[in-house]
Amino acid sequence: VMKEYAWAAGGQITDFCSKDVLVLAPMLQHYGYAGSNPLADGTLSLTSDGQGGAQLWIDMDRLPGGSGNWLLTTIDGVAPSSLHMQGAFITG
């Protein structure tokens, strides 16, 4: 069964490139997100993994019934500054 939202933290993307898109809308909707810019309002954050890649985090405390910060995925070889977020989409 394919899930359209995060159900376990700690994924890893090893081949993300400039043509790829992460679509986060189904996951955000599932967890009750009602805003329009999850990066700007702090629901999602991109940080360095300390090895030239990025980590995508979700702050569940900002969502209904949520608790804690979850590491959604690590994006190998792509610095956070190279990623662009528009609404619920992340591109390279």
Side-chain angles (χ1 to χ4, degrees):
V1 173
M2 182 176 167
K3 295 204 182 281
E4 295 180 348
Y5 52 87
W7 60 273
Q12 184 174 19
I13 299 170
T14 59
D15 59 353
F16 194 81
C17 71
S18 62
K19 295 180 182 179
D20 291 332
V21 177
L22 292 177
V23 179
L24 305 171
M27 177 198 65
L28 291 168
Q29 181 180 9
H30 174 79
Y31 289 118
Y33 180 73
S36 61
N37 193 336
L39 195 62
D41 67 25
T43 302
L44 296 177
S45 61
L46 289 165
T47 62
S48 172
D49 70 356
Q51 300 176 351
Q55 293 179 326
L56 176 62
W57 292 84
I58 186 168
D59 184 349
M60 296 299 289
D61 293 328
R62 294 179 175 269
L63 300 171
S67 179
N69 286 314
W70 296 2
L71 174 60
L72 294 174
T73 194
T74 298
I75 304 170
D76 291 345
V78 181
S81 60
S82 297
L83 296 169
H84 309 284
M85 185 148 188
Q86 180 93 0
F89 300 92
I90 295 178
T91 59

